[in-house]
Amino acid sequence: MRAGEPGGTWRVVVVDDQALVVSAFEMLLAAQADLEVAGTASDGAAALALLRRLRLRGRGADVVLMDIRMPVMDGVEAIRAMRA
């Protein structure tokens, strides 16, 4: 089944530099039957690397929930890199 189809699961990546925020989102998302946390990252650069690894395994993400202000690479720059 595909994301968005009845019975399908949406794979979500959570990106935030605050561990408490990431944990809270993981708990909220895990409580939903049609959502799966595919992975987490603490900055934009780590998110890009995670998404590449997931794609190589054939298990990409459907949604990226990303903070804007983070060290190393902020969310805006990471989104631009993802779209490129």
Side-chain angles (χ1 to χ4, degrees):
M1 287 179 233
R2 300 175 62 118
E5 291 180 359
T9 301
W10 290 80
R11 294 177 47 79
V12 181
V13 168
V14 179
V15 186
D16 198 297
D17 59 323
Q18 296 183 30
L20 185 60
V21 172
V22 172
S23 294
F25 276 118
E26 282 183 297
M27 287 190 312
L28 288 169
L29 295 170
Q32 305 301 314
D34 58 346
L35 298 176
E36 172 189 348
V37 177
T40 64
S42 60
D43 61 64
L48 291 173
L50 171 63
L51 290 167
R52 281 187 207 104
R53 286 192 309 273
L54 290 172
R55 199 171 348 152
L56 287 173
R57 294 180 190 150
R59 302 274 302 155
D62 300 303
V63 176
V64 177
L65 180 61
M66 183 161 333
D67 187 13
I68 297 298
R69 294 183 186 168
M70 295 179 290
V72 183
M73 178 186 283
D74 68 31
V76 174
E77 187 178 350
I79 295 293
R80 284 185 184 131
M82 285 177 204
R83 292 182 52 122

